[in-house]
mmCIF file of all heavy atoms in Angstrom:
data_model
loop_
_atom_site.group_PDB
_atom_site.id
_atom_site.type_symbol
_atom_site.label_atom_id
_atom_site.label_comp_id
_atom_site.label_asym_id
_atom_site.label_seq_id
_atom_site.Cartn_x
_atom_site.Cartn_y
_atom_site.Cartn_z
ATOM 1 N N MET A 102 -38.472 90.891 -99.320
ATOM 2 C CA MET A 102 -37.203 91.240 -99.801
ATOM 3 C C MET A 102 -37.038 92.747 -99.609
ATOM 4 O O MET A 102 -37.822 93.521 -100.200
ATOM 5 C CB MET A 102 -36.987 90.850 -101.212
ATOM 6 C CG MET A 102 -37.307 89.411 -101.589
ATOM 7 S SD MET A 102 -36.387 88.263 -100.541
ATOM 8 C CE MET A 102 -34.784 88.834 -100.868
ATOM 9 N N SER A 103 -36.081 93.187 -98.733
ATOM 10 C CA SER A 103 -35.994 94.612 -98.547
ATOM 11 C C SER A 103 -34.600 94.956 -97.956
ATOM 12 O O SER A 103 -34.063 94.129 -97.195
ATOM 13 C CB SER A 103 -37.146 95.069 -97.620
ATOM 14 O OG SER A 103 -36.639 95.794 -96.523
ATOM 15 N N PRO A 104 -34.087 96.127 -98.290
ATOM 16 C CA PRO A 104 -32.801 96.547 -97.650
ATOM 17 C C PRO A 104 -32.875 96.677 -96.133
ATOM 18 O O PRO A 104 -31.847 96.733 -95.468
ATOM 19 C CB PRO A 104 -32.436 97.840 -98.380
ATOM 20 C CG PRO A 104 -33.405 98.045 -99.421
ATOM 21 C CD PRO A 104 -34.571 97.158 -99.196
ATOM 22 N N VAL A 146 -35.803 90.092 -95.324
ATOM 23 C CA VAL A 146 -34.463 89.629 -95.764
ATOM 24 C C VAL A 146 -33.836 90.635 -96.675
ATOM 25 O O VAL A 146 -34.371 91.138 -97.672
ATOM 26 C CB VAL A 146 -34.670 88.305 -96.529
ATOM 27 C CG1 VAL A 146 -33.322 87.874 -97.077
ATOM 28 C CG2 VAL A 146 -35.313 87.287 -95.657
ATOM 29 N N SER A 147 -32.534 90.951 -96.387
ATOM 30 C CA SER A 147 -31.687 91.820 -97.311
ATOM 31 C C SER A 147 -30.526 91.004 -97.774
ATOM 32 O O SER A 147 -29.997 90.187 -97.050
ATOM 33 C CB SER A 147 -31.187 93.000 -96.463
ATOM 34 O OG SER A 147 -30.133 93.626 -97.167
ATOM 35 N N ILE A 148 -30.149 91.167 -99.032
ATOM 36 C CA ILE A 148 -28.986 90.424 -99.561
ATOM 37 C C ILE A 148 -27.672 91.252 -99.469
ATOM 38 O O ILE A 148 -26.628 90.805 -99.917
ATOM 39 C CB ILE A 148 -29.202 89.950 -100.972
ATOM 40 C CG1 ILE A 148 -29.319 91.086 -101.969
ATOM 41 C CG2 ILE A 148 -30.416 88.986 -101.088
ATOM 42 C CD1 ILE A 148 -29.096 90.624 -103.459
ATOM 43 N N GLY A 149 -27.736 92.404 -98.846
ATOM 44 C CA GLY A 149 -26.463 93.141 -98.706
ATOM 45 C C GLY A 149 -26.699 94.640 -98.474
ATOM 46 O O GLY A 149 -27.812 95.106 -98.678
ATOM 47 N N TYR A 151 -26.602 97.597 -99.819
ATOM 48 C CA TYR A 151 -26.716 98.472 -101.004
ATOM 49 C C TYR A 151 -28.209 98.456 -101.433
ATOM 50 O O TYR A 151 -28.930 97.545 -100.952
ATOM 51 C CB TYR A 151 -25.846 97.917 -102.131
ATOM 52 C CG TYR A 151 -25.888 96.417 -102.258
ATOM 53 C CD1 TYR A 151 -26.950 95.757 -102.837
ATOM 54 C CD2 TYR A 151 -24.920 95.631 -101.661
ATOM 55 C CE1 TYR A 151 -27.022 94.392 -102.881
ATOM 56 C CE2 TYR A 151 -24.965 94.275 -101.740
ATOM 57 C CZ TYR A 151 -26.049 93.667 -102.329
ATOM 58 O OH TYR A 151 -26.091 92.306 -102.300
ATOM 59 N N VAL A 152 -28.660 99.419 -102.211
ATOM 60 C CA VAL A 152 -30.038 99.459 -102.528
ATOM 61 C C VAL A 152 -30.243 99.020 -103.988
ATOM 62 O O VAL A 152 -29.590 99.434 -104.914
ATOM 63 C CB VAL A 152 -30.644 100.895 -102.333
ATOM 64 C CG1 VAL A 152 -32.010 101.020 -102.844
ATOM 65 C CG2 VAL A 152 -30.586 101.224 -100.885
ATOM 66 N N LEU A 153 -31.184 98.077 -104.167
ATOM 67 C CA LEU A 153 -31.640 97.713 -105.510
ATOM 68 C C LEU A 153 -33.011 98.376 -105.676
ATOM 69 O O LEU A 153 -33.841 98.518 -104.745
ATOM 70 C CB LEU A 153 -31.817 96.162 -105.603
ATOM 71 C CG LEU A 153 -30.606 95.310 -105.162
ATOM 72 C CD1 LEU A 153 -31.055 93.878 -105.103
ATOM 73 C CD2 LEU A 153 -29.506 95.505 -106.231
ATOM 74 N N SER A 154 -33.319 98.778 -106.904
ATOM 75 C CA SER A 154 -34.628 99.429 -107.186
ATOM 76 C C SER A 154 -35.799 98.454 -106.927
ATOM 77 O O SER A 154 -36.857 98.860 -106.538
ATOM 78 C CB SER A 154 -34.716 99.950 -108.570
ATOM 79 O OG SER A 154 -33.588 100.758 -108.873
ATOM 80 N N GLY A 155 -35.557 97.212 -107.131
ATOM 81 C CA GLY A 155 -36.591 96.234 -106.883
ATOM 82 C C GLY A 155 -36.081 94.975 -106.237
ATOM 83 O O GLY A 155 -34.889 94.713 -106.238
ATOM 84 N N GLY A 156 -36.935 94.286 -105.566
ATOM 85 C CA GLY A 156 -36.570 93.103 -104.862
ATOM 86 C C GLY A 156 -36.389 91.859 -105.709
ATOM 87 O O GLY A 156 -36.028 90.749 -105.212
ATOM 88 N N ALA A 159 -32.985 90.265 -105.892
ATOM 89 C CA ALA A 159 -32.615 89.723 -104.591
ATOM 90 C C ALA A 159 -33.398 88.426 -104.331
ATOM 91 O O ALA A 159 -32.813 87.456 -103.805
ATOM 92 C CB ALA A 159 -33.064 90.733 -103.512
HETATM 93 CL CL1 LIG B 8 -33.805 92.157 -100.550
HETATM 94 N N1 LIG B 8 -34.256 94.382 -101.899
HETATM 95 C C1 LIG B 8 -33.919 95.587 -102.363
HETATM 96 N N2 LIG B 8 -34.814 96.312 -103.031
HETATM 97 N N3 LIG B 8 -32.718 96.155 -102.200
HETATM 98 C C2 LIG B 8 -31.885 95.360 -101.576
HETATM 99 C C3 LIG B 8 -32.185 94.150 -101.042
HETATM 100 C C4 LIG B 8 -33.426 93.690 -101.190
HETATM 101 N N4 LIG B 8 -31.096 93.651 -100.350
HETATM 102 C C5 LIG B 8 -30.139 94.541 -100.535
HETATM 103 N N5 LIG B 8 -30.613 95.636 -101.233
#
Side-chain angles (χ1 to χ4, degrees):
M102 306 308 303
S103 129
V146 177
S147 164
I148 64 161
Y151 39 79
V152 173
L153 306 170
S154 305

